[in-house]
Amino acid sequence: MFGSAARLIFIGFVLKQILDYRDWLDFNRDVIFTVTPGKCHVVLHDGGSEDLTHVGNGVVLFSTGLATSKGHIKAVDLNQSLNAFTLNITNSPERDDFMTKLHGLSSWRDPHTGKLYLYVISHASEESIEVFEVEDGMNLKYIKTITDSSFASKFMNDLVVVGKDKFYISQFAHFPIRDMTKVNLEWLSRWKTGNIYYYDGHRARVVASNLEQPNGINISPDAKVIYLSEWGSKTLKAYRRESTNNLVELWSTYLGTGIDNIEVDPDTGDLWIGAHPVMWKVIDLLNIFGAKHPGQVLRIKMTDNAISEIEEVFSDDGNFLYGTSSATNVNGKLVIGTVSQKAAVCELNYLSKNEATDSGLLPDSYVAN
Amino acid sequence: MMWSTIVTITLFGFGFNYFLNYRDWLDWEKDLVLSINPGSCKTIIKDGGSEDVTHIGNGIVLMSTGFEFFGPPGQIKAVDLNNGNKVMTLNMSNVPSRTDFLSAPHGITTWRDPDTDQLFLYVICHPKPEDRIEVFEVLKPLTLKYIRTITDPKFDFMNDMVAVGRDKFYITKFARFREYNRYNLEMFSGMKFGGIFYYDGHKAREVASGYYMPNGINISPDKKVVYVAEWGTKTLRGFRRDSSNNLAEIWSTYTGTGIDNIEVDPDTGDLWIGSHPITWKIIDPFFGSLPPGQVVRVKMQDNAVSEIEIIYQDDGTNCAGSTAATYAAGKMVVGTVREQTVVCDVKYLTPN
């Protein structure tokens, strides 16, 4: 009697694991409908634009070439034309693997000198962060390369710069990108092998661990809260930054979709997130087999650094854009980047407001009669 | 013995597969619904619902309100989209003296007589004894004059209808059982007892059968193709109408969402459908959950589906249990089973 009960419980447990894993893979998410916020234009036709960021005056920078090998920093000036151009790099080092497979990027303006710096993760012979000064006329002047023994042979994804050569960086996987078979197995195993490191200008240390494929990372406008897309668990996390730069988890919200990079609107604090809605289709994220998987952009309204509403601003079944990894809103224009394919700019004909209404109950896009 | 092990495993396999499909159908693991706003939205009716809506021209949208299973009489309301979204309840004249007149008003359809230019409104109602279609003439200024009641012994629990002539219409039979408990059992069982009937002015005949809870029904602008939202299987179907008004299915598209009523844009042929994205939340008799709202726009090419877009989505806070939607005067009207009615500006629509 006890034996049968134990056997039944065991079978139930195994079935539950199968069900949960099947849910995680989004096996039954078969039909993706389109959501279009306005007229869309393609600004980059191929090569990908894994991460992007608005550096001011309508200029958006992209990191390209993650799926190929040779990467470039490209840009689009939204106030001029909708064609992306490649930035010239001066003072570059003579390494063969310079600018290989560019991934997450982050810009930082020095409050004392006013100079703008760009930091880009490059999967070179070891994981490197290339540092540039962004000069007028859209040139990049190479400054230095940052590496650290604690993450040199791992798989880093995104970073957010908080000071001169000081940043938080997400470690996506234990195995490096050139070992995609092991990376895929690591992802499918769902083991929490990911970490967030803080680099203090000299060395890196782990400030958050036990994460499932941490991906995009960014910071609130008041610089107090770090946001992280824990892509593997489809969860958005927020951490409080302490004076030591250590992180303490504040909240964790399940979003049910594969969230990638995060951009933060400096005025409203809104989060703009590129996402991959169907997990099992992501297995070909670097487009080696040419499988199309759907794209999605979320806009998350924040109040006091906590989530107040989550909107889906863009959705596509993969025919127009797939592998949407990053997005940002620049004055009513939505810029969307993908891992290995195009980059697009869509008009945002309507964006509901992000201010608390007088009643405090309804979001500002609603008015009771 | 080897044989009995194989049989056991096979039976278990079938059982597990059935369980998986049922769980998927329920959208059991789904909970979070993301907002999608096409423009600024206003709640024009706070509760009571507006199960079906239809645009009759000049920005006037009629709605059947107050649906409750074999409940008390409801009302026909209207919203004037060109006049500040003003809502009014339509007065009815010449009505019969039955206390259950206009009980639980459900699907509606209008038909304009091309010779006399008179506009007629048909409303499916569910008084306890039998389903009845109440017929009105829509007069100006906006009031309803009762004309007649249509019944037929073949009508069990009906849902929606589309008029194609004076007292001639196609109507969906949603369920066989009209008693609440048996109706629920029928819904949870997945049995395909639903169908489409054609009423020729005198009597009804079944023109399509073997469907699982067919819900909304409407017709293409050229009157050649009848569209049916088979809510039970989340499938949109197109039927060709022949000269004897019989129907032959020509295409079906799985939508993955609980499509309810269909309105057709007379200019573009677009379908506007109110739908239920999480099945368990709309049929939930136990947990008292808040059902979300969703409106999909189906772009058509030659009366067949070319693309499906989501125009509106809400987790239920502002629009719970959306059943119908229409697009008129640059705005979208969304009706629900028994809660709010919402009007949103539509700031962008992709061209057809």
Side-chain angles (χ1 to χ4, degrees):
Chain A
M1 163 73 178
F2 196 58
S4 330
R7 228 176 306 157
L8 269 172
I9 291 172
F10 177 71
I11 291 175
F13 177 74
V14 170
L15 287 181
K16 177 86 175 35
Q17 301 302 81
I18 295 174
L19 278 181
D20 286 346
Y21 197 79
R22 186 177 175 273
D23 287 346
W24 174 72
L25 283 173
D26 299 310
F27 253 179
N28 63 341
R29 206 166 190 177
D30 33 19
V31 186
I32 302 283
F33 296 144
T34 311
V35 177
T36 316
K39 200 146 182 276
C40 293
H41 310 267
V42 174
V43 299
L44 254 181
H45 291 271
D46 50 46
S49 44
E50 203 278 339
D51 201 4
L52 51 78
T53 195
H54 177 222
V55 294
N57 293 324
V59 176
V60 176
L61 302 185
F62 302 95
S63 56
T64 73
L66 179 61
T68 55
S69 198
K70 189 67 183 166
H72 301 275
I73 300 295
K74 297 197 179 176
V76 67
D77 186 341
L78 296 173
N79 293 326
Q80 303 265 17
S81 85
L82 288 179
N83 286 316
F85 53 92
T86 307
L87 268 57
N88 271 333
I89 301 178
T90 58
N91 198 35
S92 28
E94 276 170 28
R95 306 191 323 250
D96 280 339
D97 64 352
F98 180 62
M99 299 294 275
T100 304
K101 288 189 183 297
L102 302 181
H103 211 145
L105 50 72
S106 176
S107 66
W108 179 76
R109 194 176 289 280
D110 189 324
H112 304 296
T113 64
K115 289 189 182 171
L116 184 67
Y117 296 94
L118 181 70
Y119 293 70
V120 189
I121 295 173
S122 167
H123 301 295
S125 51
E126 54 178 5
E127 297 292 269
S128 316
I129 293 99
E130 308 294 358
V131 187
F132 304 91
E133 187 187 327
V134 185
E135 294 178 319
D136 300 325
M138 302 313 308
N139 287 315
L140 296 177
K141 183 171 103 181
Y142 170 78
I143 309 259
K144 60 156 81 155
T145 302
I146 297 176
T147 58
D148 191 281
S149 54
S150 52
F151 57 68
S153 58
K154 301 216 161 95
F155 187 156
M156 310 311 278
N157 191 307
D158 195 16
L159 77 171
V160 60
V161 180
V162 295
K164 185 88 188 277
D165 298 342
K166 296 180 172 58
F167 51 83
Y168 290 93
I169 183 168
S170 58
Q171 179 215 319
F172 188 62
H174 176 79
F175 292 103
I177 196 171
R178 61 179 156 277
D179 212 341
M180 263 329 267
T181 315
K182 291 209 182 108
V183 172
N184 277 329
L185 278 168
E186 188 179 345
W187 159 60
L188 289 172
S189 75
R190 301 200 65 192
W191 283 337
K192 294 179 192 256
T193 52
N195 296 301
I196 305 175
Y197 291 78
Y198 177 70
Y199 186 81
D200 63 11
H202 303 284
R203 72 182 73 83
R205 68 174 192 273
V206 174
V207 288
S209 55
N210 284 334
L211 296 167
E212 190 182 344
Q213 316 250 280
N215 195 318
I217 189 167
N218 216 313
I219 197 166
S220 58
D222 61 11
K224 291 184 182 167
V225 175
I226 293 284
Y227 301 117
L228 177 81
S229 291
E230 194 188 3
W231 179 76
S233 67
K234 305 176 189 171
T235 303
L236 185 67
K237 288 186 190 287
Y239 299 85
R240 192 183 66 239
R241 254 183 100 191
E242 306 204 297
S243 50
T244 52
N245 290 306
N246 284 341
L247 296 180
V248 175
E249 188 175 312
L250 277 177
W251 50 258
S252 179
T253 301
Y254 176 69
L255 296 185
T257 183
I259 42 177
D260 204 306
N261 293 324
I262 305 171
E263 285 297 298
V264 184
D265 186 311
D267 302 317
T268 62
D270 288 350
L271 305 191
W272 290 82
I273 303 184
H276 312 281
V278 181
M279 190 55 87
W280 73 266
K281 289 194 177 181
V282 169
I283 199 155
D284 194 28
L285 202 57
L286 295 186
N287 197 33
I288 300 159
F289 302 111
K292 279 190 192 247
H293 53 269
Q296 184 185 46
V297 172
L298 302 184
R299 169 207 182 195
I300 306 195
K301 294 178 180 175
M302 310 294 284
T303 306
D304 297 325
N305 293 331
I307 297 177
S308 63
E309 193 183 1
I310 307 169
E311 291 182 328
E312 184 178 41
V313 176
F314 175 88
S315 167
D316 186 72
D317 60 4
N319 276 318
F320 172 54
L321 282 186
Y322 61 89
T324 48
S325 50
S326 52
T328 193
N329 170 23
V330 183
N331 290 328
K333 291 195 161 73
L334 175 66
V335 187
I336 308 175
T338 65
V339 179
S340 60
Q341 189 217 3
K342 308 174 188 153
V345 173
C346 298
E347 306 280 324
L348 285 169
N349 283 41
Y350 176 76
L351 202 61
S352 65
K353 297 197 214 96
N354 187 12
E355 292 136 296
T357 61
D358 297 326
S359 69
L361 287 170
L362 296 173
D364 201 55
S365 55
Y366 273 86
V367 179
N369 206 20
Chain B
M1 292 261 289
M2 174 75 166
W3 199 225
S4 64
T5 318
I6 292 177
V7 170
T8 313
I9 293 179
T10 310
L11 279 175
F12 179 73
F14 275 116
F16 191 56
N17 190 48
Y18 176 79
F19 168 72
L20 275 183
N21 287 334
Y22 199 84
R23 191 173 175 274
D24 284 349
W25 172 73
L26 282 174
D27 304 306
W28 188 246
E29 88 293 2
K30 291 195 187 145
D31 194 28
L32 183 69
V33 175
L34 307 176
S35 305
I36 298 173
N37 287 310
S40 186
C41 295
K42 250 187 166 76
T43 304
I44 58 168
I45 297 178
K46 286 211 187 75
D47 52 45
S50 41
E51 206 279 339
D52 203 4
V53 303
T54 196
H55 177 228
I56 57 171
N58 293 323
I60 308 273
V61 175
L62 298 186
M63 308 175 275
S64 55
T65 73
F67 176 85
E68 247 185 75
F69 243 101
F70 306 112
Q75 296 165 311
I76 303 298
K77 297 194 182 179
V79 58
D80 189 345
L81 299 176
N82 289 328
N83 196 3
N85 299 328
K86 195 158 77 87
V87 174
M88 65 199 104
T89 303
L90 269 60
N91 276 329
M92 296 186 287
S93 59
N94 200 35
V95 299
S97 52
R98 296 178 248 134
T99 50
D100 60 6
F101 179 72
L102 216 71
S103 276
H106 206 157
I108 60 176
T109 186
T110 58
W111 182 76
R112 193 176 287 282
D113 189 322
D115 302 316
T116 65
D117 208 40
Q118 286 168 296
L119 184 67
F120 296 97
L121 172 70
Y122 298 79
V123 186
I124 297 174
C125 299
H126 304 288
K128 278 224 171 57
E130 58 177 350
D131 274 18
R132 297 182 188 137
I133 290 126
E134 307 297 357
V135 188
F136 303 88
E137 188 184 340
V138 183
L139 301 171
K140 283 197 179 96
L142 207 55
T143 56
L144 299 174
K145 182 173 107 182
Y146 168 78
I147 309 261
R148 62 183 285 226
T149 301
I150 296 176
T151 58
D152 191 287
K154 293 207 167 72
F155 291 163
D156 293 315
F157 191 76
M158 314 311 276
N159 191 306
D160 195 17
M161 57 189 291
V162 59
V164 293
R166 179 74 194 267
D167 297 345
K168 296 180 170 61
F169 51 84
Y170 290 94
I171 184 169
T172 52
K173 182 175 95 171
F174 194 53
R176 180 195 283 186
F177 295 105
R178 300 180 83 245
E179 188 266 316
Y180 186 67
N181 290 323
R182 279 192 218 161
Y183 162 84
N184 268 322
L185 251 146
E186 184 179 345
M187 173 165 62
F188 282 106
S189 74
M191 304 284 276
K192 299 182 180 203
F193 289 151
I196 307 165
F197 289 77
Y198 177 70
Y199 186 83
D200 63 12
H202 303 284
K203 63 174 162 351
R205 68 173 193 274
E206 196 164 28
V207 289
S209 61
Y211 293 106
Y212 177 31
M213 305 194 105
N215 192 316
I217 186 167
N218 217 311
I219 198 164
S220 58
D222 63 8
K223 310 294 177 216
K224 292 185 181 166
V225 178
V226 172
Y227 305 121
V228 176
E230 192 189 359
W231 175 82
T233 59
K234 305 177 184 167
T235 304
L236 185 64
R237 296 184 190 274
F239 296 83
R240 194 184 65 242
R241 237 182 121 193
D242 68 22
S243 48
S244 48
N245 291 307
N246 287 333
L247 295 181
E249 189 175 316
I250 47 175
W251 54 259
S252 71
T253 301
Y254 175 68
T255 64
T257 186
I259 42 179
D260 204 301
N261 292 325
I262 304 172
E263 285 299 295
V264 183
D265 186 313
D267 303 318
T268 62
D270 289 348
L271 307 192
W272 288 77
I273 304 182
S275 46
H276 310 282
I278 302 183
T279 301
W280 73 265
K281 287 197 179 188
I282 192 66
I283 64 177
D284 166 23
F286 306 120
F287 306 112
S289 52
L290 189 63
Q294 184 188 62
V295 172
V296 295
R297 169 201 182 203
V298 185
K299 289 154 84 171
M300 310 294 281
Q301 197 125 59
D302 299 323
N303 296 334
V305 178
S306 69
E307 193 182 3
I308 305 180
E309 297 177 327
I310 313 181
I311 303 296
Y312 175 80
Q313 201 164 269
D314 184 79
D315 63 6
T317 323
N318 300 297
C319 185
S322 50
T323 47
T326 191
Y327 174 63
K331 298 183 193 183
M332 177 196 66
V333 180
V334 192
T336 61
V337 188
R338 61 177 64 87
E339 301 291 342
Q340 314 95 328
T341 309
V342 170
V343 173
C344 296
D345 292 331
V346 180
K347 288 294 188 197
Y348 180 74
L349 266 188
T350 63
N352 203 327

